[in-house]
Structures are given as C-alpha cells and as structure tokens.
Amino acid sequence: QVQLVESGGGLVQAGGSLRLSCAASGSIFSRNRMGWYRQAPGEQRELVAVITSSGSTNYADSVKGRFTISRDNAKNTVYLQMNSLKPEDTAVYYCNVETYFYDLTSEYWGQGTQVTVSS
C-alpha cells in the first residue's frame, strides 16, 4: 500500500504562484510515475503533469510554460510549481502515483487539495 499526503493548495490571485507537494510512503517500487491531476466542478478529472522515476515529464498543453513538476526521490515527494495562475486553473488537485512491479501496475490517489485562483 501507498499513502499520499498533499499540501500547498489555497487561494491566490490571478498571476500568482502556488507550490503543491505530495509525499508518498509505503511500498514505492523503484519504477514509478508520480503526478498531478485536477478536477474542476462539473468537469472530468484531467492530467496536469506527470514525472517518471527516470525524470521524464509530460504536461497538459494548458499548463506548459507555467507549471513545473519535479520530484525528490530520496523523499518520495513530488512537487508542482504553478506560476502565472489563471482563474481556469481553479480545481481540486489530486496527487497520483503509479508503481510498476514486473507486470503489475498499482495506482494510488491523494485526498485532493483545493486551488482557487481569483480574477
């Protein structure tokens, strides 16, 4: 099992910045992918950014150039630095971890943290 603890959400004005953190504990295999998804009211959950254990990243087009995902493997922690925030970034942000052990993939979700961007 993997436990995820998120922090860093809040209320910010448009153009501001926030940094989200997600610390993972438990059975984190060396091959894994950590990332962030978000869900706005009435919308489906969508990928924001992910980073693999080897450091490869993938971003949603809507956040490219504004958000940066990074990780500290020693701490099993993933970060999302969000700059130039827009009202449309308002959503609940969820940490996600996928672990890979041979052909077994396990997926875990955090409880979510609210990000609200005011105009």
Side-chain angles (χ1 to χ4, degrees), residues 9-24:
L11 172 65
V12 65
Q13 290 188 330
S17 298
L18 283 174
R19 188 191 194 209
L20 305 182
S21 300
C22 174

Side-chain angles (χ1 to χ4, degrees), residues 15 24 76-77 91 111 116:
N76 284 328
T77 299
Q111 78 281 3
T116 303

Side-chain angles (χ1 to χ4, degrees), residues 32-44:
N32 61 72
R33 190 187 78 170
M34 306 180 79
W36 295 91
Y37 289 68
R38 67 186 180 187
Q39 187 168 20
E43 302 290 334
Q44 289 189 336

Side-chain angles (χ1 to χ4, degrees), residues 5-11 18-22 36-39 80 82 89-95 110-116:
V5 178
E6 302 159 342
S7 60
L11 172 65
L18 283 174
R19 188 191 194 209
L20 305 182
S21 300
C22 174
W36 295 91
Y37 289 68
R38 67 186 180 187
Q39 187 168 20
L80 185 68
M82 305 185 292
D89 294 317
T90 295
V92 178
Y93 284 69
Y94 295 91
C95 179
Q111 78 281 3
T113 185
Q114 178 70 46
V115 171
T116 303

